Coordinates of all heavy atoms in Angstrom, one line a residue:
N538 N -40.4 -107.6 -48.4 CA -39.0 -107.9 -48.1 C -38.9 -109.1 -47.2 O -39.7 -109.2 -46.4 CB -38.3 -106.7 -47.4 CG -38.3 -105.5 -48.4 OD1 -38.0 -105.7 -49.5 ND2 -38.7 -104.3 -47.9
Q539 N -37.8 -109.9 -47.4 CA -37.6 -111.1 -46.5 C -36.6 -110.8 -45.5 O -35.7 -110.1 -45.8 CB -37.3 -112.3 -47.3 CG -38.4 -112.9 -48.1 CD -38.0 -114.2 -48.8 OE1 -36.9 -114.6 -48.6 NE2 -38.9 -114.8 -49.5
A540 N -36.8 -111.4 -44.3 CA -35.7 -111.3 -43.3 C -35.7 -112.7 -42.7 O -36.7 -113.3 -42.4 CB -36.0 -110.2 -42.3
Q541 N -34.5 -113.1 -42.3 CA -34.4 -114.4 -41.7 C -33.7 -114.3 -40.4 O -32.7 -113.4 -40.3 CB -33.7 -115.5 -42.6 CG -34.5 -115.8 -43.8 CD -33.8 -116.8 -44.6 OE1 -32.6 -116.8 -44.6 NE2 -34.5 -117.5 -45.4
M542 N -33.8 -115.1 -39.4 CA -33.1 -115.0 -38.1 C -32.6 -116.4 -37.8 O -33.4 -117.4 -37.9 CB -34.0 -114.6 -37.0 CG -33.2 -114.5 -35.6 SD -34.2 -113.8 -34.4 CE -35.5 -115.0 -34.3
F543 N -31.5 -116.6 -37.6 CA -30.9 -117.9 -37.1 C -30.6 -117.8 -35.7 O -29.9 -116.9 -35.2 CB -29.6 -118.3 -37.9 CG -29.9 -118.2 -39.5 CD1 -29.7 -117.1 -40.2 CD2 -30.5 -119.4 -40.1 CE1 -30.0 -117.1 -41.6 CE2 -30.7 -119.3 -41.4 CZ -30.4 -118.3 -42.1
S544 N -31.1 -118.7 -34.9 CA -31.3 -118.6 -33.4 C -30.1 -118.2 -32.7 O -30.2 -117.4 -31.7 CB -31.9 -119.9 -32.9 OG -30.9 -121.0 -33.2
D545 N -28.9 -118.6 -33.0 CA -27.7 -118.3 -32.2 C -26.9 -117.4 -32.9 O -25.7 -117.1 -32.3 CB -27.0 -119.5 -31.8 CG -27.9 -120.4 -30.8 OD1 -28.4 -119.9 -29.9 OD2 -28.0 -121.5 -31.1
D546 N -27.1 -116.8 -34.0 CA -26.2 -115.9 -34.8 C -26.3 -114.4 -34.3 O -27.4 -114.0 -33.9 CB -26.5 -116.0 -36.2 CG -26.1 -117.3 -36.8 OD1 -25.3 -118.0 -36.2 OD2 -26.4 -117.6 -37.9
L547 N -25.3 -113.7 -34.4 CA -25.3 -112.3 -34.1 C -25.8 -111.5 -35.3 O -26.1 -110.4 -35.2 CB -23.9 -111.8 -33.8 CG -23.2 -112.3 -32.5 CD1 -21.8 -111.8 -32.3 CD2 -24.0 -111.8 -31.3
I548 N -25.8 -112.1 -36.5 CA -26.1 -111.4 -37.7 C -27.5 -111.8 -38.1 O -27.9 -112.9 -38.1 CB -25.2 -111.8 -38.8 CG1 -23.8 -111.4 -38.5 CG2 -25.6 -111.1 -40.2 CD1 -23.5 -109.9 -38.4
C549 N -28.3 -110.7 -38.5 CA -29.6 -111.0 -39.0 C -29.5 -110.8 -40.6 O -28.8 -109.9 -41.0 CB -30.6 -109.9 -38.6 SG -30.8 -109.9 -36.8
V550 N -30.0 -111.8 -41.3 CA -29.8 -111.8 -42.8 C -31.0 -111.3 -43.4 O -32.1 -111.8 -43.3 CB -29.4 -113.2 -43.2 CG1 -29.2 -113.2 -44.7 CG2 -28.2 -113.7 -42.5
G551 N -30.8 -110.2 -44.1 CA -32.0 -109.6 -44.8 C -31.8 -109.7 -46.4 O -30.7 -110.0 -46.8
E552 N -32.8 -109.4 -47.1 CA -32.6 -109.5 -48.6 C -31.7 -108.4 -49.1 O -30.9 -108.7 -49.9 CB -34.0 -109.3 -49.2 CG -34.1 -109.5 -50.7 CD -35.5 -109.4 -51.1 OE1 -35.9 -108.3 -51.3 OE2 -36.1 -110.4 -51.5
E553 N -31.6 -107.2 -48.5 CA -30.8 -106.1 -49.1 C -29.4 -106.2 -48.5 O -28.5 -106.0 -49.3 CB -31.4 -104.8 -48.7 CG -32.9 -104.6 -49.3 CD -33.6 -103.4 -48.6 OE1 -32.9 -102.5 -48.0 OE2 -34.8 -103.4 -48.7
K554 N -29.3 -106.4 -47.3 CA -27.9 -106.5 -46.7 C -27.9 -107.1 -45.3 O -29.0 -107.2 -44.7 CB -27.3 -105.0 -46.6 CG -28.0 -104.2 -45.7 CD -27.4 -102.8 -45.5 CE -28.0 -101.9 -44.5 NZ -27.4 -100.7 -44.2
D555 N -26.8 -107.5 -44.8 CA -26.7 -108.0 -43.4 C -26.6 -106.9 -42.5 O -26.0 -105.8 -42.7 CB -25.5 -108.9 -43.3 CG -25.7 -110.1 -44.1 OD1 -26.7 -110.5 -44.7 OD2 -24.5 -110.8 -44.2
V556 N -27.3 -107.0 -41.3 CA -27.3 -106.0 -40.3 C -27.0 -106.7 -39.0 O -27.3 -107.8 -38.8 CB -28.6 -105.2 -40.2 CG1 -28.7 -104.3 -41.4 CG2 -29.7 -106.1 -40.0
V557 N -26.4 -105.9 -38.1 CA -26.0 -106.4 -36.7 C -27.2 -106.6 -35.8 O -28.1 -105.7 -35.8 CB -24.9 -105.5 -36.1 CG1 -24.5 -105.9 -34.8 CG2 -23.8 -105.3 -37.1
K558 N -27.2 -107.6 -35.0 CA -28.3 -107.8 -34.0 C -28.3 -106.6 -33.1 O -27.3 -106.2 -32.6 CB -27.9 -109.1 -33.2 CG -29.1 -109.5 -32.3 CD -30.2 -110.1 -33.1 CE -31.3 -110.6 -32.2 NZ -32.6 -110.8 -32.9
G559 N -29.5 -105.9 -32.9 CA -29.7 -104.8 -32.2 C -29.7 -103.6 -33.0 O -30.1 -102.5 -32.5
D560 N -29.4 -103.7 -34.3 CA -29.4 -102.5 -35.3 C -30.8 -102.3 -35.8 O -31.1 -102.7 -36.9 CB -28.4 -102.8 -36.4 CG -28.4 -101.6 -37.4 OD1 -28.8 -100.5 -37.1 OD2 -27.9 -101.9 -38.5
A561 N -31.7 -101.7 -35.0 CA -33.1 -101.6 -35.4 C -33.3 -100.6 -36.5 O -34.4 -100.8 -37.2 CB -33.9 -101.1 -34.1
D562 N -32.5 -99.7 -36.8 CA -32.7 -98.7 -37.9 C -32.0 -99.1 -39.2 O -32.1 -98.5 -40.2 CB -32.3 -97.3 -37.5 CG -30.9 -97.1 -37.0 OD1 -30.0 -98.0 -37.3 OD2 -30.6 -96.0 -36.5
G563 N -31.1 -100.2 -39.1 CA -30.5 -100.8 -40.3 C -29.4 -99.9 -40.9 O -29.1 -100.0 -42.0

Side-chain angles (χ1 to χ4, degrees):
N538 294 315
Q539 287 187 3
Q541 296 178 332
M542 179 176 65
F543 302 95
S544 61
D545 294 309
D546 290 345
L547 292 174
I548 301 294
C549 302
V550 181
E552 187 174 76
E553 298 167 16
K554 64 176 183 174
D555 293 349
V556 291
V557 178
K558 190 71 175 163
D560 179 21
D562 62 10

